[in-house]
mmCIF file of all heavy atoms in Angstrom:
data_model
loop_
_atom_site.group_PDB
_atom_site.id
_atom_site.type_symbol
_atom_site.label_atom_id
_atom_site.label_comp_id
_atom_site.label_asym_id
_atom_site.label_seq_id
_atom_site.Cartn_x
_atom_site.Cartn_y
_atom_site.Cartn_z
ATOM 1 N N ASP A 82 31.679 -18.648 -61.540
ATOM 2 C CA ASP A 82 32.445 -19.062 -62.714
ATOM 3 C C ASP A 82 33.628 -18.123 -62.930
ATOM 4 O O ASP A 82 34.709 -18.564 -63.338
ATOM 5 C CB ASP A 82 31.547 -19.074 -63.947
ATOM 6 C CG ASP A 82 32.154 -19.890 -65.087
ATOM 7 O OD1 ASP A 82 32.538 -21.046 -64.839
ATOM 8 O OD2 ASP A 82 32.265 -19.356 -66.200
ATOM 9 N N PHE A 83 33.445 -16.831 -62.648
ATOM 10 C CA PHE A 83 34.535 -15.865 -62.787
ATOM 11 C C PHE A 83 35.683 -16.198 -61.835
ATOM 12 O O PHE A 83 36.856 -16.183 -62.225
ATOM 13 C CB PHE A 83 34.009 -14.456 -62.513
ATOM 14 C CG PHE A 83 35.075 -13.395 -62.538
ATOM 15 C CD1 PHE A 83 35.602 -12.945 -63.739
ATOM 16 C CD2 PHE A 83 35.550 -12.837 -61.358
ATOM 17 C CE1 PHE A 83 36.594 -11.975 -63.774
ATOM 18 C CE2 PHE A 83 36.536 -11.867 -61.379
ATOM 19 C CZ PHE A 83 37.058 -11.431 -62.589
ATOM 20 N N VAL A 84 35.345 -16.521 -60.597
ATOM 21 C CA VAL A 84 36.380 -16.880 -59.626
ATOM 22 C C VAL A 84 37.024 -18.197 -60.021
ATOM 23 O O VAL A 84 38.250 -18.351 -59.978
ATOM 24 C CB VAL A 84 35.780 -16.965 -58.211
ATOM 25 C CG1 VAL A 84 36.801 -17.508 -57.214
ATOM 26 C CG2 VAL A 84 35.294 -15.585 -57.761
ATOM 27 N N LEU A 85 36.213 -19.163 -60.429
ATOM 28 C CA LEU A 85 36.729 -20.484 -60.828
ATOM 29 C C LEU A 85 37.695 -20.366 -62.001
ATOM 30 O O LEU A 85 38.675 -21.114 -62.089
ATOM 31 C CB LEU A 85 35.558 -21.391 -61.199
ATOM 32 C CG LEU A 85 35.838 -22.873 -61.430
ATOM 33 C CD1 LEU A 85 36.453 -23.498 -60.189
ATOM 34 C CD2 LEU A 85 34.554 -23.599 -61.810
ATOM 35 N N SER A 86 37.472 -19.392 -62.876
ATOM 36 C CA SER A 86 38.348 -19.227 -64.046
ATOM 37 C C SER A 86 39.739 -18.752 -63.653
ATOM 38 O O SER A 86 40.647 -18.740 -64.490
ATOM 39 C CB SER A 86 37.723 -18.241 -65.047
ATOM 40 O OG SER A 86 37.671 -16.926 -64.499
ATOM 41 N N GLY A 87 39.926 -18.355 -62.383
ATOM 42 C CA GLY A 87 41.270 -18.029 -61.916
ATOM 43 C C GLY A 87 42.202 -19.222 -62.010
ATOM 44 O O GLY A 87 43.400 -19.063 -62.237
ATOM 45 N N ASP A 88 41.668 -20.432 -61.834
ATOM 46 C CA ASP A 88 42.445 -21.659 -62.051
ATOM 47 C C ASP A 88 42.172 -22.085 -63.487
ATOM 48 O O ASP A 88 41.252 -22.863 -63.774
ATOM 49 C CB ASP A 88 42.009 -22.746 -61.060
ATOM 50 C CG ASP A 88 42.965 -23.929 -61.041
ATOM 51 O OD1 ASP A 88 43.633 -24.156 -62.065
ATOM 52 O OD2 ASP A 88 43.038 -24.621 -60.008
ATOM 53 N N ALA A 89 42.973 -21.562 -64.416
ATOM 54 C CA ALA A 89 42.677 -21.687 -65.841
ATOM 55 C C ALA A 89 42.617 -23.134 -66.302
ATOM 56 O O ALA A 89 41.744 -23.510 -67.091
ATOM 57 C CB ALA A 89 43.731 -20.918 -66.650
ATOM 58 N N GLU A 90 43.537 -23.977 -65.808
ATOM 59 C CA GLU A 90 43.563 -25.373 -66.255
ATOM 60 C C GLU A 90 42.322 -26.124 -65.807
ATOM 61 O O GLU A 90 41.703 -26.847 -66.593
ATOM 62 C CB GLU A 90 44.823 -26.064 -65.725
ATOM 63 C CG GLU A 90 46.098 -25.674 -66.444
ATOM 64 C CD GLU A 90 47.255 -26.571 -66.035
ATOM 65 O OE1 GLU A 90 47.834 -26.318 -64.960
ATOM 66 O OE2 GLU A 90 47.559 -27.527 -66.758
ATOM 67 N N VAL A 91 41.961 -25.974 -64.535
ATOM 68 C CA VAL A 91 40.767 -26.651 -64.023
ATOM 69 C C VAL A 91 39.518 -26.141 -64.727
ATOM 70 O O VAL A 91 38.636 -26.917 -65.115
ATOM 71 C CB VAL A 91 40.653 -26.457 -62.495
ATOM 72 C CG1 VAL A 91 39.282 -26.892 -61.993
ATOM 73 C CG2 VAL A 91 41.743 -27.245 -61.783
ATOM 74 N N HIS A 92 39.450 -24.819 -64.904
ATOM 75 C CA HIS A 92 38.278 -24.233 -65.558
ATOM 76 C C HIS A 92 38.135 -24.769 -66.982
ATOM 77 O O HIS A 92 37.025 -25.112 -67.431
ATOM 78 C CB HIS A 92 38.402 -22.708 -65.565
ATOM 79 C CG HIS A 92 37.190 -22.003 -66.075
ATOM 80 N ND1 HIS A 92 37.140 -21.389 -67.305
ATOM 81 C CD2 HIS A 92 35.962 -21.826 -65.517
ATOM 82 C CE1 HIS A 92 35.947 -20.853 -67.488
ATOM 83 N NE2 HIS A 92 35.207 -21.107 -66.428
ATOM 84 N N ALA A 93 39.264 -24.872 -67.693
ATOM 85 C CA ALA A 93 39.218 -25.392 -69.065
ATOM 86 C C ALA A 93 38.777 -26.853 -69.081
ATOM 87 O O ALA A 93 37.997 -27.275 -69.958
ATOM 88 C CB ALA A 93 40.591 -25.237 -69.719
ATOM 89 N N ALA A 94 39.243 -27.639 -68.100
ATOM 90 C CA ALA A 94 38.863 -29.053 -68.045
ATOM 91 C C ALA A 94 37.374 -29.207 -67.735
ATOM 92 O O ALA A 94 36.697 -30.079 -68.298
ATOM 93 C CB ALA A 94 39.697 -29.775 -66.990
ATOM 94 N N ILE A 95 36.860 -28.365 -66.833
ATOM 95 C CA ILE A 95 35.422 -28.416 -66.509
ATOM 96 C C ILE A 95 34.594 -28.043 -67.732
ATOM 97 O O ILE A 95 33.577 -28.689 -68.044
ATOM 98 C CB ILE A 95 35.119 -27.485 -65.331
ATOM 99 C CG1 ILE A 95 35.733 -28.044 -64.037
ATOM 100 C CG2 ILE A 95 33.610 -27.301 -65.151
ATOM 101 C CD1 ILE A 95 35.622 -27.119 -62.845
ATOM 102 N N GLN A 96 35.025 -26.995 -68.450
ATOM 103 C CA GLN A 96 34.309 -26.596 -69.664
ATOM 104 C C GLN A 96 34.368 -27.697 -70.716
ATOM 105 O O GLN A 96 33.368 -27.980 -71.397
ATOM 106 C CB GLN A 96 34.915 -25.300 -70.217
ATOM 107 C CG GLN A 96 34.696 -24.071 -69.347
ATOM 108 C CD GLN A 96 33.233 -23.682 -69.289
ATOM 109 O OE1 GLN A 96 32.494 -23.826 -70.258
ATOM 110 N NE2 GLN A 96 32.796 -23.212 -68.131
ATOM 111 N N ALA A 97 35.544 -28.344 -70.842
ATOM 112 C CA ALA A 97 35.688 -29.423 -71.827
ATOM 113 C C ALA A 97 34.771 -30.585 -71.481
ATOM 114 O O ALA A 97 34.150 -31.191 -72.375
ATOM 115 C CB ALA A 97 37.147 -29.882 -71.872
ATOM 116 N N GLU A 98 34.673 -30.908 -70.181
ATOM 117 C CA GLU A 98 33.800 -31.999 -69.761
ATOM 118 C C GLU A 98 32.340 -31.676 -70.074
ATOM 119 O O GLU A 98 31.588 -32.516 -70.589
ATOM 120 C CB GLU A 98 33.979 -32.264 -68.269
ATOM 121 C CG GLU A 98 33.165 -33.468 -67.774
ATOM 122 C CD GLU A 98 33.290 -33.647 -66.272
ATOM 123 O OE1 GLU A 98 33.041 -32.670 -65.534
ATOM 124 O OE2 GLU A 98 33.605 -34.768 -65.845
ATOM 125 N N ALA A 99 31.938 -30.425 -69.773
ATOM 126 C CA ALA A 99 30.549 -30.031 -70.028
ATOM 127 C C ALA A 99 30.240 -30.079 -71.525
ATOM 128 O O ALA A 99 29.173 -30.567 -71.941
ATOM 129 C CB ALA A 99 30.311 -28.621 -69.474
ATOM 130 N N ASN A 100 31.174 -29.571 -72.338
ATOM 131 C CA ASN A 100 30.953 -29.592 -73.789
ATOM 132 C C ASN A 100 30.914 -31.021 -74.325
ATOM 133 O O ASN A 100 30.106 -31.338 -75.216
ATOM 134 C CB ASN A 100 32.071 -28.810 -74.490
ATOM 135 C CG ASN A 100 32.027 -27.327 -74.181
ATOM 136 O OD1 ASN A 100 30.979 -26.799 -73.823
ATOM 137 N ND2 ASN A 100 33.171 -26.654 -74.312
ATOM 138 N N ALA A 101 31.763 -31.888 -73.780
ATOM 139 C CA ALA A 101 31.783 -33.281 -74.242
ATOM 140 C C ALA A 101 30.484 -33.991 -73.911
ATOM 141 O O ALA A 101 29.947 -34.752 -74.736
ATOM 142 C CB ALA A 101 32.970 -34.008 -73.613
ATOM 143 N N PHE A 102 29.961 -33.761 -72.710
ATOM 144 C CA PHE A 102 28.675 -34.361 -72.345
ATOM 145 C C PHE A 102 27.568 -33.843 -73.255
ATOM 146 O O PHE A 102 26.701 -34.612 -73.704
ATOM 147 C CB PHE A 102 28.337 -34.043 -70.888
ATOM 148 C CG PHE A 102 28.796 -35.097 -69.918
ATOM 149 C CD1 PHE A 102 29.759 -34.811 -68.957
ATOM 150 C CD2 PHE A 102 28.279 -36.380 -69.961
ATOM 151 C CE1 PHE A 102 30.188 -35.773 -68.069
ATOM 152 C CE2 PHE A 102 28.694 -37.356 -69.074
ATOM 153 C CZ PHE A 102 29.662 -37.058 -68.117
ATOM 154 N N ALA A 103 27.589 -32.526 -73.529
ATOM 155 C CA ALA A 103 26.548 -31.943 -74.385
ATOM 156 C C ALA A 103 26.588 -32.540 -75.792
ATOM 157 O O ALA A 103 25.546 -32.736 -76.424
ATOM 158 C CB ALA A 103 26.719 -30.421 -74.445
ATOM 159 N N ASN A 104 27.804 -32.837 -76.246
ATOM 160 C CA ASN A 104 27.961 -33.398 -77.599
ATOM 161 C C ASN A 104 27.937 -34.925 -77.605
ATOM 162 O O ASN A 104 28.102 -35.527 -78.662
ATOM 163 C CB ASN A 104 29.282 -32.921 -78.215
ATOM 164 C CG ASN A 104 29.322 -31.417 -78.398
ATOM 165 O OD1 ASN A 104 28.289 -30.801 -78.655
ATOM 166 N ND2 ASN A 104 30.517 -30.836 -78.264
ATOM 167 N N GLU A 105 27.757 -35.528 -76.427
ATOM 168 C CA GLU A 105 27.777 -36.972 -76.274
ATOM 169 C C GLU A 105 29.050 -37.578 -76.875
ATOM 170 O O GLU A 105 29.032 -38.645 -77.507
ATOM 171 C CB GLU A 105 26.530 -37.600 -76.909
ATOM 172 C CG GLU A 105 25.239 -37.176 -76.209
ATOM 173 C CD GLU A 105 24.033 -37.932 -76.738
ATOM 174 O OE1 GLU A 105 24.193 -38.725 -77.687
ATOM 175 O OE2 GLU A 105 22.936 -37.723 -76.193
ATOM 176 N N ASP A 106 30.150 -36.836 -76.672
ATOM 177 C CA ASP A 106 31.453 -37.304 -77.131
ATOM 178 C C ASP A 106 32.117 -38.004 -75.945
ATOM 179 O O ASP A 106 32.816 -37.384 -75.142
ATOM 180 C CB ASP A 106 32.294 -36.095 -77.595
ATOM 181 C CG ASP A 106 33.645 -36.523 -78.171
ATOM 182 O OD1 ASP A 106 34.032 -37.692 -77.973
ATOM 183 O OD2 ASP A 106 34.314 -35.677 -78.791
ATOM 184 N N TRP A 107 31.902 -39.328 -75.850
ATOM 185 C CA TRP A 107 32.304 -40.035 -74.640
ATOM 186 C C TRP A 107 33.821 -40.168 -74.509
ATOM 187 O O TRP A 107 34.348 -40.221 -73.389
ATOM 188 C CB TRP A 107 31.645 -41.415 -74.615
ATOM 189 C CG TRP A 107 30.162 -41.328 -74.716
ATOM 190 C CD1 TRP A 107 29.361 -41.836 -75.700
ATOM 191 C CD2 TRP A 107 29.297 -40.653 -73.804
ATOM 192 N NE1 TRP A 107 28.047 -41.520 -75.467
ATOM 193 C CE2 TRP A 107 27.980 -40.792 -74.292
ATOM 194 C CE3 TRP A 107 29.486 -39.931 -72.630
ATOM 195 C CZ2 TRP A 107 26.877 -40.252 -73.662
ATOM 196 C CZ3 TRP A 107 28.388 -39.383 -71.982
ATOM 197 C CH2 TRP A 107 27.108 -39.542 -72.492
#
Side-chain angles (χ1 to χ4, degrees):
D82 198 51
F83 176 76
V84 173
L85 190 59
S86 67
D88 192 334
E90 285 190 279
V91 168
H92 186 253
I95 291 173
Q96 292 293 325
E98 184 184 53
N100 293 337
F102 267 116
N104 297 327
E105 296 187 356
D106 183 346
W107 304 118

